Amino acid sequence: MNQITIPFSEFSFSFSRSGGAGGQNVNKVNSKVVLEWNLTLSESISIPVKQRFLAKYKGFINDEGV
């Protein structure tokens, strides 16, 4: 099976407080990580792979391809 390698530089990370139920000292620190990847600008995958990815995960990708 072929593997796809995406360089770390194509990803961006942000941190925030996670939602949900809390208790003492819960959700008071940045405990959620959000990973973003701009699929349309990525040079590490082919156009057919991009098309399959967009079709399968369209609910997770915005209009800018992130």
Side-chain angles (χ1 to χ4, degrees):
M1 190 164 134
N2 294 334
Q3 289 186 326
I4 297 171
T5 302
I6 301 168
F8 191 75
S9 61
E10 289 190 14
F11 298 113
S12 76
F13 298 90
S14 62
F15 304 89
S16 64
R17 292 184 179 166
S18 60
Q24 185 177 3
N25 294 324
V26 177
N27 297 331
K28 293 183 181 179
V29 296
N30 291 341
S31 58
K32 177 172 83 172
V33 178
V34 177
L35 166 69
E36 291 186 343
W37 174 49
N38 193 323
L39 177 65
T40 57
L41 296 180
S42 178
E43 296 179 358
S44 58
I45 59 174
S46 65
I47 292 174
V49 172
K50 286 181 185 182
Q51 291 170 339
R52 288 194 308 270
F53 195 94
L54 284 167
K56 187 170 184 177
Y57 299 106
K58 62 185 173 186
F60 294 96
I61 301 170
N62 65 20
D63 293 337
E64 289 81 34
V66 177

